Amino acid sequence: MRNKLVTAAALAVAAVLSLSACGPDGGSDNADGSVAEVSAQPRDKAATVLDRPFEKPDLVLTDTTGKPYDLRERTKGKPTLIYFGYTHCPDVCPLTMSNIAVARKQLPKADQDRLQVVFVTTDPQRDTAAELAKWLPAAGDPSFVGLTGDFPTIQAGARQLGIGVEPSTKDKNGKVVSMHGTQVVAFSPRTDRGYVLYGEDTTPEDFTKDLPRIIKGENP
């Protein structure tokens, strides 16, 4: 159920950071040209720490109440996790939201309140504000922010984080699928920049271990 999207990673040894995507079987390539510098670190860690952090996308979308949501303004100075996905995803998206929700519940109440988890749909035609409002509490947590809007704006915001997002298409069976990179990007409350990436294989235990440091503005 997963294809591959690829973005360049400027490692000292010119390694490539591989991104997975929800979708039907078959090949698909994405060439968004985004580059992220990754620190040389043991690969047994779930987190990938960037030497050159991402700026938070300048996105104004619509939240689950139907009101405008200015991503930079609303999450300023707060530890923030951002993920791009869609509610009809059969596997990675609900699992990722569930894993983060499990880890969030292990935090002290004050830290739970500080942590912002933002889910941006890659399938805005189907993922209305009302649809996100129904799906997020079941897939993740009622505190999670769901955002929708026009596709070009969402795609541009994702690309600012090196995440490939393609317009929804239909497979040979007529099923609508949305191809997207599956990283979670963690933003520091100290700088509002994204220093940390998590892939789709990140477990609840990984998030549980790392979130206290991210909330403090520290790298895992």
Side-chain angles (χ1 to χ4, degrees):
M1 295 299 295
R2 301 168 187 165
N3 290 2
K4 294 292 180 180
L5 299 178
V6 178
T7 186
L11 288 169
V13 293
V16 174
L17 182 64
S18 182
L19 307 179
S20 298
C22 307
D25 292 334
S28 178
D29 297 319
N30 181 63
D32 58 47
S34 301
V35 175
E37 292 185 1
V38 184
S39 63
Q41 57 182 313
R43 299 312 299 163
D44 58 350
K45 296 179 64 176
T48 298
V49 179
L50 306 179
D51 289 333
R52 185 195 302 168
F54 289 115
E55 288 191 21
K56 194 173 291 180
D58 187 10
L59 278 175
V60 178
L61 296 170
T62 302
D63 66 16
T64 54
T65 68
K67 296 179 180 179
Y69 187 98
D70 186 322
L71 180 65
R72 284 185 176 177
E73 183 62 29
R74 297 287 291 274
T75 62
K76 185 177 181 180
K78 299 176 181 179
T80 304
L81 305 181
I82 297 177
Y83 181 81
F84 289 79
Y86 68 119
T87 67
H88 291 78
C89 175
D91 40 37
V92 180
C93 302
L95 179 60
T96 300
M97 291 297 99
S98 175
N99 288 346
I100 295 173
V102 169
R104 178 183 176 276
K105 288 182 173 64
Q106 308 306 311
L107 296 168
K109 182 61 167 59
D111 286 346
Q112 290 186 36
D113 293 341
R114 291 183 65 201
L115 181 66
Q116 306 294 299
V117 180
V118 180
F119 180 93
V120 184
T121 183
T122 59
D123 184 19
Q125 186 171 355
R126 292 186 295 173
D127 285 346
T128 62
E131 185 69 22
L132 288 169
K134 288 190 301 181
W135 184 82
L136 271 177
D141 188 277
S143 71
F144 291 0
V145 175
L147 299 179
T148 188
D150 65 273
F151 180 80
T153 299
I154 291 169
Q155 185 181 53
R159 284 179 173 173
Q160 290 177 46
L161 300 179
I163 298 174
V165 173
E166 298 177 4
S168 298
T169 59
K170 290 185 178 181
D171 64 17
K172 60 185 178 181
N173 299 316
K175 181 180 178 182
V176 178
V177 293
S178 176
M179 299 298 298
H180 63 90
T182 56
Q183 308 104 307
V184 174
V185 186
F187 288 82
S188 168
R190 295 183 177 180
T191 64
D192 283 317
R193 290 175 176 255
Y195 289 88
V196 184
L197 300 179
Y198 292 96
E200 65 181 72
D201 295 328
T202 306
T203 66
E205 292 75 19
D206 293 326
F207 283 121
T208 298
K209 178 182 176 181
D210 290 357
L211 283 181
R213 296 183 65 88
I214 289 171
I215 289 169
K216 294 177 182 177
E218 302 171 355
N219 289 333

